Amino acid sequence: MPIVEIISRACRDCYRCLCKCPTHAIALQEGHARIVAARCTGCGQCVSECSQHAIRLRDSAAEIANASQTESAGIRPPAALIARPQPTEAQLAEILDRIGMAKPEDELNCGACGYDRCRELAAAVFEGIAEVELCVPFLRRQAGRISLILQDSANALCW
Ligand code: SF4
Ligand code: SF4
Ligand code: SF4
């Protein structure tokens, strides 16, 4: 059981919490933020970051203690982190290529996705706890392409 809970009906998909979490315990899945129990330390930073009050710390130790042994094990991050699947260099390169970073010099390491380095985001994508759409420069390029297509379509309609 995660120490915090996202109240989906209140969430507005702004993704601020993803960037705030120091242990990357909030992942993007199918467009929505979700808690990765194995990484959550219960620091509460996401709770104060959410302007929609859509994240709550579970009320009490009792609520957490009621979780099953398996779920409770998930709240100890070091053990969970050791068990994380590690991508090969080729798998990382494939994901980076999808984001538009075919060469090491393309990696901006700007931190806008919430990960300090592009390779960390790629590793999280490999792990299934993040999506390439978290990369802001990638999204901008995608938006630029869509804008050009729309412009071409509009031009074609004028002829
Ligand atoms: S900060 Fe709040 S509203 Fe934004 S994605 Fe996270 S839970 Fe949802
Ligand atoms: S409580 Fe802390 S560790 Fe857990 S999801 Fe929120 S910010 Fe991340
Ligand atoms: S936002 Fe994109 S360019 Fe910036 S660190 Fe993340 S993956 Fe790299």
Side-chain angles (χ1 to χ4, degrees), residues 6 10-17 33 49-52 54-55:
I6 293 179
C11 174
R12 292 291 173 267
D13 298 327
C14 69
Y15 310 141
R16 287 175 58 148
C17 54
E49 185 69 11
C50 179
S51 60
Q52 304 303 312
I55 311 180

Side-chain angles (χ1 to χ4, degrees), residues 102-154:
K103 302 187 293 291
E105 54 268 35
D106 296 330
E107 295 169 27
L108 300 177
N109 301 319
C110 67
C113 56
Y115 293 84
D116 290 336
R117 297 170 62 240
C118 305
R119 282 172 172 261
E120 291 173 23
L121 173 66
V125 170
F126 173 81
E127 210 180 324
I129 60 167
E131 295 175 8
V132 292
E133 286 76 13
L134 279 178
C135 174
V136 176
F138 168 73
L139 271 188
R140 284 208 190 104
R141 283 194 300 276
Q142 296 287 95
R145 283 191 197 111
I146 291 168
S147 165
L148 280 177
I149 291 168
L150 289 175
Q151 201 173 326
D152 285 351
S153 304

